């Protein structure tokens, strides 16, 4: 729901405050002028009810008098919180066409604002369009175009919103939150993704702390396949202290991974709220560290994952063997219980025992691997280790 639009009544909208001679100069009959002055005095004394009753009781014959009094009644009804009656009287005054140019413009402006405030957008719009067409030079037309944009937005005329904002921006080019927000909403409704990006960038300049602007910008950049730009936006938001959610961090990690920077992907995942308790997240981090060739860090994270799921002991053991931590690897290999991994486990133990110069144990596990699942690798180890043992025995 739109916030209430404050309506400011200029002195020109309160002709009842003018002296009697001034009223007569505007062609009011003497009968009307006298009663208008009386109603004006009531209004000044904050007796709106009496002011309204005085004007409503008048029997008028001249059309100009009727229009003049209708305008005053509209003002008083509005001040008395009787919006329905205010709209009725102001509409009559405007439609009469009998008020002087400046009087007519100000009256129509008040009518348009009251209608907008009452969310009668379609009824308010013709008045606003007329107002910008014939506005006095002293009026701030940019505010009227803003009112038009607000009304058009409420009834879903997105193209008209953009036209009105464009007119407003020509008169007042300084970036402002309200017109930019209307512009963005309309551009998104019209699927003008590319045009919406600079709008969001302007909003971010005005409200850099608002996470939603950053997220929407990233979303548009991804929609346009601007992955590098999306990553830069997320990185800049983080750098400026914007509070990123877990989903934002996960997206950042994915984008770093796509750019071939796995260590940054792992770092982003490590910032998630459940980064050290969610086994899947731990496995993802360990994989990224492994891709980054940060072997020791990867081992450490795989070990954390193995505490939650025993299947990851195999990942730990493989890297330990690869990095030459053979004694530790043998301990870890004993923890691998998956049946389908036992042949591979035995071969890994062969390599570890061999590197530790324990040829007898290495040969035992080579034969065990061959017994579990015959393979060229197992046969090769058996042949090689048997020859080494013979050489050792003969020497």
């Amino acid at each position: 729901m739109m916030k209430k639009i404050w309506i400011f009544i200029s002195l020109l909208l309160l002709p009842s405050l003018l002296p009697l001679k001034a009223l007569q100069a505007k062609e009011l009959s003497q009968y009307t002028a006298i009663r208008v002055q009386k109603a004006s005095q009531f209004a000044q004394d904050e007796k709106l009810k009496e002011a309204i009753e005085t004007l409503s009781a008048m029997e008028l014959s001249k059309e100009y008098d009727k229009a003049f009094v209708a305008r005053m009644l509209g003002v008083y009804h509005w001040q008395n919180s009787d919006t329905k009656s205010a709209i009725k009287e102001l509409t009559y005054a405007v439609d009469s066409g009998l008020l002087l140019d400046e009087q007519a413009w100000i009256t129509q402006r008040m009518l348009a604002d009251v209608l907008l405030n009452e969310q009668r957008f379609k009824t308010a719009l013709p008045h606003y369009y007329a107002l910008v067409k014939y506005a006095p030079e002293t009026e701030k037309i940019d505010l009227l175009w803003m009112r038009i944009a607000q009304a058009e937005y409420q009834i879903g005329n997105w193209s008209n919103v953009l036209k009105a904002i464009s007119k407003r921006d020509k008169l007042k080019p300084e970036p402002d939150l309200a017109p930019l927000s209307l512009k963005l909403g309309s551009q998104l409704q019209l699927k003008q993704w590319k045009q919406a990006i600079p709008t969001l960038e302007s909003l971010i300049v005005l409200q850099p702390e608002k996470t939603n602007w950053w997220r929407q910008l990233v979303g548009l950049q991804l929609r346009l396949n601007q992955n590098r730009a999306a990553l830069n936006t997320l990185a800049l938001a983080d750098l400026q202290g914007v509070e990123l959610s877990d989903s934002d961090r996960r997206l950042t990690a994915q984008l770093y991974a796509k750019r071939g920077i796995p260590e940054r992907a792992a770092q982003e995942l490590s910032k998630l709220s459940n980064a050290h308790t969610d086994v899947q997240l731990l496995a993802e981090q360990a994989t990224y560290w492994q891709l980054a060739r940060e072997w020791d860090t990867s081992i450490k994270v795989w070990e954390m994952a193995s505490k939650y799921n025993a299947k990851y002991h195999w990942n730990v053991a493989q890297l330990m063997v690869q990095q030459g931590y053979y004694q530790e690897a043998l301990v870890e290999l004993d923890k691998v219980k998956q049946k389908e991994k036992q042949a591979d486990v035995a071969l890994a133990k062969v390599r570890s025992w061999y590197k530790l110069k324990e040829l007898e144990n290495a040969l035992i596990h080579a034969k065990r691997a061959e017994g579990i699942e015959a393979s060229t690798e197992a046969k090769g180890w058996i042949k090689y280790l048997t020859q080494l043992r013979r050489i050792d025995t003969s020497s």
Side-chain angles (χ1 to χ4, degrees):
M1 180 177 292
M2 290 183 60
K3 293 182 178 179
K4 183 174 182 180
I5 301 168
W6 294 104
I7 305 169
F8 298 98
I9 307 173
S10 76
L11 289 177
L12 288 173
L13 255 181
L14 294 175
S16 53
L17 298 180
L18 296 173
L20 180 59
K21 288 183 179 180
L23 296 175
Q24 290 173 330
K26 293 179 180 293
E27 301 179 4
L28 279 181
S29 67
Q30 187 174 11
Y31 165 82
T32 302
I34 292 171
R35 283 156 181 77
V36 161
Q37 283 291 93
K38 184 178 180 181
S40 173
Q41 189 59 54
F42 278 132
Q44 288 181 26
D45 295 338
E46 299 184 2
K47 297 179 179 179
L48 286 174
K49 184 178 179 182
E50 289 83 349
I52 291 170
E53 288 174 350
T54 299
L55 294 176
S56 299
M58 295 173 64
E59 295 183 2
L60 303 171
S61 57
K62 291 181 63 177
E63 293 302 316
Y64 178 76
D65 287 13
K66 291 179 182 179
F68 191 94
V69 169
R71 181 181 58 180
M72 290 186 65
L73 276 170
V75 173
Y76 294 155
H77 280 307
W78 178 78
Q79 290 178 317
N80 201 38
S81 300
D82 185 355
T83 307
K84 183 177 180 181
S85 296
I87 291 173
K88 178 183 175 182
E89 297 296 343
L90 290 171
T91 300
Y92 179 88
V94 170
D95 290 347
S96 73
L98 295 172
L99 298 177
L100 300 181
D101 288 346
E102 191 171 4
Q103 292 177 340
W105 193 92
I106 296 173
T107 304
Q108 191 167 20
R109 169 66 189 273
M110 183 178 182
L111 174 59
D113 285 348
V114 173
L115 288 168
L116 186 65
N117 189 53
E118 290 300 299
Q119 300 186 32
R120 293 171 59 174
F121 307 113
K122 290 184 178 180
T123 308
L125 275 169
H127 293 293
Y128 280 120
Y129 280 115
L131 287 166
V132 294
K133 191 174 182 181
Y134 301 108
E137 293 182 1
T138 56
E139 292 296 328
K140 294 184 177 180
I141 312 304
D142 60 290
L143 295 177
L144 294 177
W145 282 114
M146 188 62 192
R147 293 283 190 266
I148 290 172
Q150 290 171 329
E152 295 284 17
Y153 190 90
Q154 291 297 325
I155 59 179
N157 289 338
W158 314 119
S159 295
N160 288 346
V161 174
L162 295 179
K163 291 175 184 177
I165 294 298
S166 178
K167 294 279 190 181
R168 178 264 175 202
D169 289 347
K170 288 178 181 178
L171 297 166
K172 190 176 181 181
E174 297 84 3
D176 192 29
L177 183 61
L180 283 171
S181 298
L182 293 178
K183 185 177 182 180
L184 174 65
S186 300
Q187 288 171 329
L188 295 179
Q189 289 291 339
L190 293 170
K191 299 183 179 180
Q192 296 181 357
W193 315 127
K194 190 174 181 180
Q195 296 89 327
I197 285 179
T199 306
L200 273 166
E201 289 172 340
S202 296
L203 284 165
I204 286 172
V205 171
L206 292 175
Q207 290 185 314
E209 76 288 350
K210 189 169 181 180
T211 309
N212 191 45
W213 299 141
W214 295 90
R215 286 198 183 115
Q216 289 192 68
L217 179 56
V218 170
L220 288 179
Q221 289 167 333
L222 291 175
R223 184 183 285 274
L224 294 171
N225 295 316
Q226 298 176 2
N227 290 351
R228 184 183 291 268
L231 178 56
N232 291 338
T233 298
L234 285 166
L236 181 60
D238 192 24
L239 188 64
Q240 293 197 1
V242 177
E243 188 175 348
L244 300 181
S245 67
D246 280 0
S247 58
D248 296 327
R249 297 272 182 206
R250 181 175 279 280
L251 174 59
T252 305
Q254 291 170 351
L255 291 172
Y256 272 126
K258 285 183 179 180
R259 282 194 59 186
I261 313 176
E263 64 273 20
R264 293 299 300 273
Q267 289 169 357
E268 287 301 317
L269 290 182
S270 71
K271 297 174 185 177
L272 300 184
S273 57
N274 55 345
H276 303 299
T277 55
D278 184 290
V279 66
Q280 185 59 40
L281 270 179
L282 286 167
E284 288 182 50
Q285 291 173 70
T287 300
Y288 283 137
W289 286 121
Q290 198 166 326
L291 289 171
R293 298 179 178 274
E294 295 287 345
W295 310 116
D296 287 351
T297 304
S298 183
I299 289 172
K300 181 179 177 181
V301 180
W302 279 124
E303 286 178 324
M304 293 171 65
S306 69
K307 294 177 181 179
Y308 294 97
N309 191 326
K311 73 177 183 179
Y312 293 119
H313 285 298
W314 173 238
N315 301 79
V316 178
Q318 283 182 296
L319 282 181
M320 284 181 168
V321 173
Q322 174 188 301
Q323 293 306 108
Y325 304 140
Y326 302 116
Q327 201 68 56
E328 295 88 341
L330 288 168
V331 175
E332 199 67 27
L333 286 166
D334 284 338
K335 299 175 183 178
V336 180
K337 303 301 181 183
Q338 299 101 300
K339 186 176 180 181
E340 69 277 8
K341 296 290 185 185
Q342 292 310 303
D344 292 327
V345 167
L347 289 170
K349 286 183 177 181
V350 171
R351 184 179 177 186
S352 297
W353 284 121
Y354 171 74
K355 290 292 185 178
L356 291 170
K357 304 185 184 309
E358 294 283 349
L359 300 183
E360 199 63 40
N361 283 331
L363 182 57
I364 291 171
H365 285 90
K367 291 178 179 179
R368 183 174 297 171
E370 176 67 11
I372 296 171
E373 183 179 324
S375 66
T376 302
E377 186 178 358
K379 288 182 174 66
W381 271 115
I382 292 171
K383 182 179 179 180
Y384 176 64
L385 291 169
T386 300
Q387 290 174 347
L388 286 179
R389 188 171 62 171
R390 287 174 184 169
I391 293 172
D392 287 346
T393 302
S394 63
S395 62

